[in-house]
Amino acid sequence: MRRYWQPVALSEELDGVRPLVAPKVLGQDLVLFRDEHGELGLVDRGCPHRGADLALGRLEDGGLRCCFHGWLFARDGACLDTPAEPADSALATRVRLGSYPVREINGVIWGYLGPGEPPALPALDCFEAPADHAFAWKGLLECNWLQALEVGIDPAHASYLHRFFEDEDPSDSYGKQFRATSQGTALPMTKILREYGRPDIDAARTPYGLRITALRTLDGTDTEGRAMDGSRTHVRVTHQVFPHGFHIPLDAETAITQWHVPIDDTSCYWYAQFTSVGRPVDQEAMRRQRVDAVTLPDYRPRFNRANGYGYDPVEQLTTTYTGLGTDINVHDQWAVEGQGAVQDRTREHLGRSDKAIVMYRRMLGEAMSAVQRGEDPPLVLPAERAAGIRGPVTLDGIGPTKGSAQYWAAVTAKQRADSSWAQPAATDG
């Protein structure tokens, strides 16, 4: 995991009087700050003098100053001042604070904690979109990052974990997962998921990870109770972005790229980047929908194991499959935290619906073996190769059962061609 860039904070976490936070990433305690010029620094949390906590350091004089003896460090870790030492002391020239490359893209601040030069980032939509076409958010999960990721590459679970017994008004669906109508129809996603619980799932390897397709042939009834003859199929295309991301549709023009960043072995943060290829994102509305679900500044969910995730037995009988409210994130949180801090996978019994999970785990094992052999894992690429990994394109729509692949390829190609910024997707997905 250290061979990849990691989200370490949201940009909004550095708003306010003192632009400094102290994230823990990959088991490592860090301090992230902006200096007086607005430049970012990502450094170790312990002062190299005698280990004092720099999370309470002073932001002044072009860097971060330790409150214990006043030692001052620049963004690159250079020691600029040791004021308690003799005026002619050369100690500062022999001391460095651990520092790490850092980048800020569309509301997320990324750090590279690995060896050597950091790899180039691929040209994914979440990195390429204009700032007004993107929004970022995060949340804490009390479990291992891997089980948090795996819920997002499991197409079958949405028909159960996210089942609603009644369809909401699709006109009030902005920013809400699984509430809009499916592209190309008036059928709400809630109805499709509820009535078609056995999707035909396929997964294929790609240069960025996996492309996952779930097909639900419509042979039930429409919203008016009229029979459908199976000539149309609901197609949902999602992606696993190696090593710890997934890419899924929110609505016809907006996708979510979500990363699962280890704090340590038993907890992680998810970082969601919402990107629109159509209209600019209503960032205020998106934040307003989400902020009351967490406590700040740690983005800890208000519903959690301690309060039963807000479980309501009456709701479970009448309104939702789980009884855990309408927030999709709470459903996923319960599912992955309920497996334990680290899921014992020797006790699992996987089925055909777990096809993407199995394929991803093989990829992960292969990547670990490559690193053990001294080779680069997938997506650790030079800039010229990373630039060729674009998109990928998500899909949630209903179209003809016959010729579905060609139909949707034309629809999504036109959508990207009509976009004010999106590049054509790479031919592999």
Side-chain angles (χ1 to χ4, degrees), residues 32-368:
L32 172 71
F33 66 94
R34 291 192 198 275
D35 65 18
E36 294 99 316
H37 306 292
E39 299 294 328
L40 290 168
L42 182 65
V43 298
D44 286 335
R45 184 166 175 170
C47 177
H49 177 205
R50 284 166 55 191
D53 186 359
L54 290 173
L56 293 181
R58 298 174 60 87
L59 289 177
E60 61 185 21
D61 301 326
L64 177 63
R65 190 182 291 277
C66 180
C67 293
F68 198 5
H69 292 89
W71 288 25
L72 177 67
F73 298 94
R75 291 181 295 107
D76 65 358
C79 185
L80 304 177
D81 189 22
T82 55
E85 298 300 309
D88 60 351
S89 172
L91 178 60
T93 64
R94 303 194 299 271
V95 175
R96 289 196 71 85
L97 176 63
S99 65
Y100 307 92
V102 61
R103 296 185 62 178
E104 186 171 14
I105 309 172
N106 281 338
V108 177
I109 299 172
W110 298 72
Y112 179 70
L113 308 180
E117 291 297 315
L121 288 172
L124 304 179
D125 287 351
C126 60
F127 301 137
E128 299 295 308
D132 63 349
H133 283 66
F135 170 76
W137 195 245
K138 68 187 279 190
L140 177 68
L141 291 171
E142 299 287 358
C143 68
N144 182 266
W145 70 271
L146 181 55
Q147 61 213 57
L149 166 68
E150 288 182 341
V151 75
I153 58 173
D154 170 8
H157 85 276
S159 284
Y160 302 93
L161 185 64
H162 305 317
R163 180 179 296 185
F164 296 85
F165 296 141
E166 295 183 359
D167 303 320
E168 298 181 0
D169 182 357
S171 65
D172 187 36
S173 65
Y174 185 79
K176 300 176 183 177
Q177 185 74 17
F178 299 128
R179 304 297 212 292
T181 57
S182 187
Q183 185 176 356
T185 180
L187 285 176
M189 269 303 296
T190 46
K191 177 178 173 65
I192 295 168
L193 294 178
R194 183 173 65 245
E195 296 183 3
Y196 299 91
R198 288 190 174 91
D200 182 8
I201 298 171
D202 189 31
R205 293 200 184 198
T206 68
Y208 54 80
L210 291 175
R211 180 176 61 251
I212 305 161
T213 305
L215 304 177
R216 291 171 166 90
T217 302
L218 303 181
D219 53 8
T221 59
D222 63 17
T223 54
E224 303 299 324
R226 295 173 298 216
M228 294 183 286
D229 60 7
S231 62
R232 291 170 67 78
T233 293
H234 175 263
V235 181
R236 184 170 172 85
V237 179
T238 61
H239 308 268
Q240 194 286 314
V241 182
F242 204 82
H244 58 354
F246 63 70
H247 187 64
I248 60 176
L250 176 67
D251 56 40
E253 63 184 24
T254 309
I256 308 169
T257 311
Q258 185 160 304
W259 311 92
H260 301 81
V261 183
I263 299 170
D264 49 33
D265 287 343
T266 59
S267 60
C268 63
Y269 274 107
W270 56 262
Y271 284 80
Q273 296 177 280
F274 298 76
T275 308
S276 170
V277 298
R279 297 164 296 173
V281 172
D282 187 338
Q283 297 169 345
E284 291 185 7
M286 296 282 264
R287 189 178 193 280
R288 189 168 57 249
Q289 289 173 345
R290 290 159 177 78
V291 69
D292 289 340
V294 300
T295 60
L296 299 177
D298 55 5
Y299 297 80
R300 185 179 297 273
R302 293 186 184 275
F303 291 118
N304 50 57
R305 185 182 289 111
N307 55 29
Y309 301 94
Y311 172 70
D312 181 342
V314 175
E315 177 196 307
Q316 190 176 39
L317 289 172
T318 61
T319 310
T320 69
Y321 198 75
T322 61
L324 299 180
T326 60
D327 186 343
I328 301 299
N329 289 323
V330 176
H331 304 170
D332 288 341
Q333 179 192 353
W334 164 81
V336 300
E337 290 184 349
Q339 298 169 20
V342 181
Q343 158 72 341
D344 181 359
R345 290 174 175 80
T346 66
R347 301 175 63 186
E348 293 180 335
H349 297 82
L350 302 183
R352 290 181 62 185
S353 64
D354 300 303
K355 185 174 185 178
I357 305 292
V358 173
M359 192 173 291
Y360 169 73
R361 291 181 185 177
R362 287 175 179 160
M363 290 171 54
L364 190 61
E366 292 167 7
M368 290 188 286

